[in-house]
């Protein structure tokens, strides 16, 4: 399957019943710094908790690579790294 086909498959999924999760560290001090994620068949979707119309669709591999970069404190992904 091509990358374009995989992303289309992700984006065609109905998110009506999606359960969105945000980090326990989000929104500290009453701010609205909340990134939410939901796992779907074949990938993940990210959104801002206020601007919920804008979404980032990621395959499982893309999400795993990004999260791994953050966990490894990769420069450019983590402030001050």
């Amino acid at each position: 399957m091509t990358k374009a086909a995989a992303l289309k498959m992700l984006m065609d999924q109905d998110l009506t019943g999606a359960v969105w999760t945000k980090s326990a560290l989000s929104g500290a001090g009453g701010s609205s710094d909340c990134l939410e994620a939901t796992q779907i068949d074949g990938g993940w979707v990210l959104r801002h908790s206020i601007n919920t119309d804008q979404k980032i669709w990621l395959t499982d591999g893309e999400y795993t690579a990004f999260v791994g970069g953050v966990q490894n404190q990769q420069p450019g992904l983590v402030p001050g790294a």
Side-chain angles (χ1 to χ4, degrees), residues 1-71:
M1 174 182 305
T2 67
K3 178 65 80 170
L7 289 174
K8 181 174 181 345
M9 182 191 75
L10 293 176
M11 293 170 63
D12 285 346
Q13 293 185 50
D14 182 7
L15 299 178
T16 303
V19 177
W20 295 90
T21 303
K22 63 182 174 182
S23 167
L25 302 176
S26 293
S31 69
S32 297
D33 301 333
C34 303
L35 178 67
E36 300 176 329
T38 191
Q39 188 173 20
I40 59 175
D41 185 31
W44 293 79
V45 183
L46 306 177
R47 71 178 186 184
H48 190 281
S49 61
I50 293 174
N51 186 13
T52 58
D53 290 337
Q54 301 296 314
K55 296 174 181 65
I56 300 172
W57 305 79
L58 302 167
T59 64
D60 284 325
E62 291 166 336
Y63 184 77
T64 299
F66 179 78
V67 170
V70 171
Q71 289 172 332

